[in-house]
Amino acid sequence: MTYDGSEQGGPELIGGRYRLGERLGQGGMGVVRRATDELLGREVAVKTLALDSGADPAGALREARVVAQVRHPHVIVVHDVVEHEGRPALVMELIEGGSLADRLAAGEVFSPAEAARLGLDLLDALTAAHARDVLHRDVKPANVLLEKDSGRAVLTDFGIASLPDATTLSRTGAFIGTPEYTAPERMQGGDAGPASDLWSLGAVLCAAATGTSPFRRDSIGAVLHAIVYEEIRPSARMGPLVPVVRGLLERDPELRLGAAEARRLLAACAAGEDPAALAPVPTLREDALPAVPAPAGADTAAGGRGSGRRRAGALPFVTAAVAVCAAAATVAVLLAMQDEPPAGPPGATGTGSTATSAPATTPTPRTPVSGAGRPLSRQVTDESGFSLLVPYGAIRSTDGERVVYTSPDGAVRVGVRIRPVPPGGAIGVMRTSAEDGPKTNPGYRDGTVEETTHRGLPAARWEFTWDGFTRAEGARHTFDVAWEEDETLYDVWVSAPVSRLEEARTRFGATVESFRATGG
């Protein structure tokens, strides 16, 4: 709803105390006017339903009840509900200053720090709503009011807010919400929860920092396609906001950045720090990999077949990462560039949390470089009990069972899983994984499994190609090796686009050779 300050309304009195004044804005369902509360002598805003909008009058009462449950400085306050022309009208606090949509329409763009402070206000509002089991479902610039003097952001218009189990469609089957800012799971009629509002927050942050939604297109169909399928590339002008926006715009809601981590990253950005140094990563399922920067998904690496089943409603946007074995002759190339010797106990460990990020690895003493002087790879010591070579600058994520390191460009992934040796041992795990390949990896082909040894220990190797979960992801090749040692199964894999096959092969060999158990 746009607050334009135009058009004077009539001086009528409603509810016996509210004198209506100028129109502040109008949306599809109603009109917002300035009014004077003649009983208390204060300025308020009155939202009345448009007679021809088809809006259900009961919806206004419902909105008032919803907002009354969520009392927070960054959520609009509803003072009263009165009757106007036979329909309920909401009497709300008046926020002088207009909406974020007004500011963007006027050509204003927020700095990353300013957008981060805005994001913190909205995140606090959403957190308060979610704590009451309320989903806003229409977070967008028009529903963000900005107080002129204080700069306080206020989330308004809870007209389509719902409980988490409410349907995405109205009773007439019409989609409710604003497509440009609506999460992909809602677009596809899937389960919608708090994560859906967080996606919308990510899109609003993009708009605040760049002037427009990242999903703005010429038609509704194109908007829907962009949200559900197209590669998401946050604009470089967002600077330090990019890590949190990437996390919030993760298509799979189960992988999306959570409120607590988003707050930590936004606070860092608002304080002038670089959130990229915090290596933000959403909590992952067992079969999941981080999606940076494009829509991504998860190869189900060996031994994780059961976890390959996604819950109903979840989108298959998480790319693959399963592992493999490579030529020993190329191993020395990468091993010569590692930061520290692969052997030996860790000098430090991470926090021990379930969902962790790059700081959980031990800092390395020197930076490896390629012939062009650019970082290539580094040896990390992970809190989960191992040390190995990963792409330099890789982002770490874990679901508690698997640890995945993703290269900065999101293309190459190195994964590790450590667990007790299951029945059938390494070869049994790999054969089962290969049998399930067509189910877990679209376009699965050229799969091979062979029994082998690793450092004289029983082992198995699996290699295959597949199509990726999205067109943007493209075809990928994965290498995986698992071996048994002291009643423990170690599984290490590497996944990369087929266009980078030789790089993946080389890195896989180096990674496997560099691996050491540290007992962390």
Side-chain angles (χ1 to χ4, degrees), residues 132-166:
R132 304 291 296 182
D133 288 335
V134 171
L135 302 179
H136 188 280
R137 300 204 299 173
D138 200 18
V139 179
K140 60 183 180 180
N143 288 338
V144 177
L145 305 182
L146 301 175
E147 198 166 51
K148 180 171 54 179
D149 295 328
S150 68
R152 176 175 66 114
V154 178
L155 185 61
T156 187
D157 201 345
F158 282 72
I160 64 170
S162 73
L163 296 176
D165 57 356

Side-chain angles (χ1 to χ4, degrees), residues 109-453:
V109 175
F110 288 53
S111 71
E114 291 170 336
R117 287 190 284 272
L118 169 69
L120 285 171
D121 285 355
L122 297 178
L123 184 60
D124 286 346
L126 290 173
T127 299
H130 296 163
R132 304 291 296 182
D133 288 335
V134 171
L135 302 179
H136 188 280
R137 300 204 299 173
D138 200 18
V139 179
K140 60 183 180 180
N143 288 338
V144 177
L145 305 182
L146 301 175
E147 198 166 51
K148 180 171 54 179
D149 295 328
S150 68
R152 176 175 66 114
V154 178
L155 185 61
T156 187
D157 201 345
F158 282 72
I160 64 170
S162 73
L163 296 176
D165 57 356
T167 180
T168 301
L169 301 180
S170 68
R171 285 175 298 178
T172 61
F175 179 82
I176 53 177
T178 304
E180 281 184 52
Y181 296 92
T182 300
E185 61 269 19
R186 286 195 59 223
M187 290 292 194
Q188 293 195 334
D191 295 341
S196 299
D197 281 345
L198 295 183
W199 166 283
S200 302
L201 174 60
V204 167
L205 287 173
C206 287
T210 67
T212 185
S213 159
F215 305 109
R216 180 158 296 176
R217 300 293 188 273
D218 293 335
S219 67
I220 293 297
V223 169
L224 301 183
H225 186 274
I227 289 175
V228 176
Y229 295 112
E230 291 181 15
E231 184 177 13
I232 301 172
R233 290 182 178 271
S235 171
R237 77 178 65 174
M238 290 188 287
L241 273 177
V242 168
V244 67
V245 167
R246 281 177 174 169
L248 291 172
L249 295 184
E250 163 56 54
R251 282 185 167 97
D252 188 329
E254 293 189 25
L255 303 184
R256 200 165 296 151
L257 200 65
E261 181 68 359
R263 180 175 290 104
R264 184 173 74 98
L265 300 176
L266 287 171
C269 186
E273 301 172 7
D274 185 2
L278 304 180
V281 176
T283 301
L284 303 185
R285 297 192 311 267
E286 181 178 351
D287 66 334
L289 295 173
V292 186
D299 299 355
T300 39
R305 302 287 66 95
S307 65
R309 297 188 295 271
R310 295 176 174 80
R311 67 172 175 79
L315 297 177
F317 289 97
V318 190
T319 345
V322 257
V324 179
C325 179
T330 59
V331 168
V333 176
L334 291 179
L335 287 178
M337 295 181 178
Q338 64 193 28
D339 288 335
E340 60 180 332
T349 59
T351 62
S353 61
T354 300
T356 61
S357 56
T361 63
T362 304
T364 54
R366 63 186 178 86
T367 302
V369 294
S370 69
R374 293 185 297 273
L376 179 63
S377 57
R378 63 169 176 161
Q379 186 83 15
V380 297
T381 300
D382 194 277
E383 67 179 43
S384 298
F386 63 85
S387 174
L388 87 169
L389 200 65
V390 302
Y392 190 83
I395 297 173
R396 179 190 190 273
S397 62
T398 181
D399 61 355
E401 292 185 283
R402 301 182 183 201
V403 175
V404 175
Y405 285 88
T406 303
S407 62
D409 64 359
V412 178
R413 301 178 180 108
V414 175
V416 175
R417 184 182 184 189
I418 303 174
R419 58 172 171 154
V421 177
I427 187 62
V429 166
M430 292 298 195
R431 285 172 176 164
T432 300
S433 299
E435 289 173 2
D436 291 345
K439 302 175 185 176
T440 58
N441 300 90
Y444 176 88
R445 58 190 179 275
D446 301 328
T448 60
V449 174
E450 61 179 7
E451 196 166 5
T452 184
T453 60

